[in-house]
């Protein structure tokens, strides 16, 4: 049998090089990276790849304005916040939790979770609202759990300075609470109660969430 010419083999290897390089350097999808994350740094690194919601950030591609991608953005951000909460709420992680809450990347992640779709407004579609409400409730509860744990561990050390350090989170937190209240009727009772607790934990008993208050009004406790 004739042997292939060496130059042909070299040409074939060169043609396959871009493919092998792409496979070697490819990253898993954001969702898979979040599921595999074992540290806050892993979570933030994956979350940085979530397309941002609006200026001053810009969509990486115009099609990211489509509602399916807007809802995916909220879902991924909700997953990231949930992962942070599960990883950092509990004993033995005070320092890591404190660092994560003060990480410069967290306000952007909150906005990714909190900002509604650029294509379909809340209230325009009941079935979509039900899905979005679940993500909003998860995000709000995760943030409140992190902040509550931080307050409990840092109050004796930092005093009032701790709340000032978390001020960059206020915008995203307020938007999450407002959306949770607006979507209260689309939440399960458990999610509505959780969201109400989270809003009050973040903003005190004067948190303006009248629809969530109404959902919980007939429960035998406040």
């Amino acid at each position: 049998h004739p042997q292939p010419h060496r130059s042909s083999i070299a040409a074939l290897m060169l043609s396959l090089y871009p493919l092998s390089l792409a496979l070697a350097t490819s990253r898993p999808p954001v969702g898979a990276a979040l599921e595999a994350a074992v540290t806050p740094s892993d979570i933030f690194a994956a979350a940085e790849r979530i397309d941002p919601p609006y200026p001053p950030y810009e969509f990486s591609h115009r099609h990211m304005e489509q509602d399916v991608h807007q809802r995916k953005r909220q879902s991924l951000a909700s997953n990231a916040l949930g992962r942070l909460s599960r990883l950092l709420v509990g004993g033995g992680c005070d320092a890591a939790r404190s660092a994560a809450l003060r990480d410069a990347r967290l306000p952007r992640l909150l906005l990714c979770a909190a900002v509604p779709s650029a294509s379909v407004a809340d209230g325009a579609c009941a079935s979509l609202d039900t899905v979005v409400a679940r993500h909003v409730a998860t995000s709000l509860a995760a943030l409140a759990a992190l902040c509550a744990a931080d307050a409990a561990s840092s109050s004796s050390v930092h005093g009032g300075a701790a709340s000032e350090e978390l001020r960059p989170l206020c915008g995203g937190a307020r938007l999450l609470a407002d959306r949770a209240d607006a979507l209260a009727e689309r939440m399960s009772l458990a999610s509505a109660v959780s969201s109400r607790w989270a809003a009050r934990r973040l903003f005190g008993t004067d948190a303006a969430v009248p629809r969530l208050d109404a959902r919980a009004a007939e429960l035998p406790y406040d």
Side-chain angles (χ1 to χ4, degrees):
H1 299 287
Q3 296 297 316
H5 196 276
R6 288 184 179 180
S7 62
S8 299
I9 296 176
L12 176 61
M13 293 178 66
L14 284 173
S15 69
L16 292 175
Y17 177 72
L19 175 61
S20 64
L21 183 63
L23 291 174
T25 59
S26 64
R27 295 180 294 180
V30 176
L34 288 173
E35 288 302 314
V38 295
T39 67
S41 294
D42 293 340
I43 295 171
F44 281 124
E48 281 189 299
R49 294 162 51 201
I50 301 173
D51 240 63
Y54 57 42
Y57 311 112
E58 295 180 358
F59 296 114
S60 58
H61 303 285
R62 295 305 301 174
H63 70 270
M64 298 305 291
E65 294 184 38
Q66 297 171 4
D67 186 59
V68 63
H69 297 295
Q70 293 283 292
R71 284 185 281 117
K72 184 176 182 180
R73 178 253 300 164
Q74 295 171 71
S75 173
L76 289 171
S78 173
N79 289 344
L81 289 167
R83 290 284 292 169
L84 282 173
S85 178
R86 290 191 294 275
L87 187 66
L88 296 175
V89 173
C93 53
D94 291 356
R97 180 177 57 247
S98 177
L101 281 169
R102 292 155 180 81
D103 193 294
R105 294 168 290 185
L106 185 54
R108 179 190 184 278
L109 175 57
L110 281 181
L111 288 179
C112 286
V115 174
S117 170
S119 299
V120 179
D122 290 347
C125 176
S127 60
L128 293 181
D129 282 351
T130 299
V131 176
V132 169
R134 187 164 58 248
H135 298 322
V136 169
T138 297
S139 297
L140 186 61
L143 178 63
L146 287 165
C147 289
D150 183 71
S153 65
S154 65
S155 59
S156 61
V157 178
H158 300 289
S163 59
E164 286 299 315
E165 291 172 354
L166 300 184
R167 189 167 295 279
L169 308 181
C170 287
R174 183 72 263 176
L175 184 52
L176 278 172
D178 288 347
R179 286 190 73 201
D181 192 60
L183 293 165
E185 291 300 321
R186 296 300 173 190
M187 290 182 182
S188 67
L189 181 59
S191 289
V193 170
S194 172
S195 294
R196 181 173 181 260
W197 170 87
R200 294 178 71 169
R201 186 65 193 82
L202 290 166
F203 298 104
T205 55
D206 293 331
V209 285
R211 296 176 184 85
L212 290 171
D213 289 341
R215 288 294 308 274
E218 297 183 10
L219 295 176
Y221 57 85
D222 185 7

